[in-house]
Structures are given as C-alpha cells and as structure tokens.
Amino acid sequence: MFASLPLTALRAFESASRLLSFKAAAEELSVTPTAISHQVRSLEDWLGVALFERLPRQVRLTEGGERLFRSLHGALLEVAQSVDTLRPQRNASTLTLSTTAAFAALWLVPRLGRFYAQHPNINVRLDTHCEVIDLHQDASVDLVLRYSLDDYPNLYGLCLFDESFGVYGSPEQVALAARRTPTLISVCWHNSKLYAHGWEAWCAKAGENWLNPQPAIREY
C-alpha cells in the first residue's frame, strides 16, 4: 500500500517546508543541503508539480507545496506522537549515562560519591557498552561520555578533557634512539579514526623520521 511512497523525500520536504530553508533542513536531518535539494527535486519530479519557488536567497512554498505540507506535517506529527506513547517512560530521577567500562571504573565511579552528596535525589545508571549510541533513536540513554574527534551539530557536546601524546622509554632506549630507529609500541584502537593519531602524527610534530624506513612496531 505504501511501498511506492518516497518516504525519505517526503521527510526532507517536510523539514525544508517547516523551516523554509534547505540548509536548516539539512542540519536537522544531518545531511548536506545538496542532499535536501536532490530529495525535494526528486519528489517534485515524482509528483509532476513544483513544490518550492527558488528565490535568490530563500525558498517559498507554492500553492501545491502548501497543501502537501499541511497534510504531511499533520500525518508525521501523529506518527511521532504514536511512537512516543510506545516508548518506555524513564524515571525522572534516574540519569542513564553511557560510557566505556574503563572510563567508568577509573574516573567516573570514584567521583559518584561526591555527586550523590550534592544530588541525593538523582540515581545514576551506568551503561558500559562500547557500541556507538544514537541519542536521536535510543530514548533509554540521557548522556554519553566518549572519546571522539567528530562534531555532532544536532547534539549538545562539552569537552571534558584535552589530551596530549607523549613518548616514553627507558634511559637505554632513549640513548639508542639517537643512533637507530627504536622498536615502537602501538595499540590498535577500535575506532580507526582515533588510531590515526598515533606514531605518524607524533613523528610529524616532533620532527622524527622513525617511520622512514618502515620501523619495527609491536602492537597490542
């Protein structure tokens, strides 16, 4: 019954119509403005009618676009409200926080006593799975603590720590490093983006050519 409906294009159109901006719609849906433009254009081609007037610095709904927006917005709002009624309702006094097991054990848990002393009516529930949490989809999690280099424009983020990289070795190894390339120790991160900030980045900053020729790297 609904197999032929272009749902992605309809959602893009609803957002662009409500915000009257392809750029704002792109930010809301975490895509590019070009993607929104393509989705709207494909919907117009599918319907055989123009939905927007494209002006130099803005867009404006046509009469047909206005009619479609009114019905589509109401339908999507009803769907969203129906979905919300099925989600489990969280206890307002419980704060669910997702982080890694290591960070929870070494940093967070030792500080919970002080937190409870200041906020005795809040219960903290820890989720220590390493999977990436989508806060837009997972209503069971309130906060996420993660090491990340990415930017999430649709979420509020706060940097807790700055990090610096250092190289350490025994005095004997440090002395030998002046004459020959030392054996390097490396740790493979689960996230390959983070692993890129390893020996290659450090050598570039320090002016060392330890990676040329290919050195011996011991991985853990």
Side-chain angles (χ1 to χ4, degrees), residues 27-209:
E27 292 177 354
E28 181 177 76
L29 299 178
S30 299
V31 296
T32 64
T34 301
I36 295 292
S37 179
H38 286 168
Q39 289 293 338
V40 170
R41 182 70 71 183
S42 70
L43 182 61
E44 290 176 324
D45 292 342
W46 186 73
L47 292 171
V49 62
L51 299 172
F52 283 100
E53 293 181 44
R54 291 159 174 83
L55 305 175
R57 293 189 177 181
Q58 61 179 332
V59 292
R60 185 167 58 200
L61 285 168
T62 63
E63 182 180 350
E66 288 276 7
R67 291 205 311 270
L68 178 60
F69 170 69
R70 285 195 296 270
S71 60
L72 181 62
H73 177 72
L76 291 178
L77 185 61
E78 185 174 347
V79 170
Q81 291 172 344
S82 297
V83 169
D84 283 340
T85 62
L86 297 176
R87 285 178 171 173
Q89 298 299 313
R90 299 196 304 272
N91 188 336
S93 63
T94 298
L95 180 70
T96 301
L97 190 152
S98 172
T99 189
T100 62
F103 188 84
L106 298 175
W107 190 90
L108 185 60
V109 171
R111 290 165 171 79
L112 282 180
R114 186 169 57 188
F115 176 84
Y116 285 135
Q118 297 177 3
H119 307 280
N121 297 324
I122 299 179
N123 176 50
V124 177
R125 186 179 75 85
L126 294 181
D127 180 299
T128 55
H129 293 92
C130 291
E131 290 79 8
V132 176
I133 301 294
D134 186 346
L135 291 177
H136 292 298
Q137 301 294 330
D138 192 343
S140 66
V141 176
D142 299 299
L143 296 172
V144 175
L145 286 175
R146 287 290 190 274
Y147 186 106
S148 177
L149 301 175
D150 296 323
D151 184 27
Y152 300 93
N154 293 325
L155 296 173
Y156 173 75
L158 177 66
C159 179
L160 295 180
F161 309 104
D162 289 324
E163 187 174 50
S164 60
F165 287 87
V167 174
Y168 304 90
S170 66
E172 294 79 8
Q173 288 293 330
V174 172
L176 287 173
R179 301 193 300 271
R180 68 183 186 189
T181 300
T183 299
L184 307 180
I185 296 176
S186 185
V187 177
C188 288
W189 293 67
H190 291 291
N191 188 330
S192 60
K193 291 182 181 179
L194 303 180
Y195 182 57
H197 287 255
W199 282 114
E200 184 177 348
W202 185 88
C203 287
K205 289 286 187 180
E208 296 287 355
N209 61 350

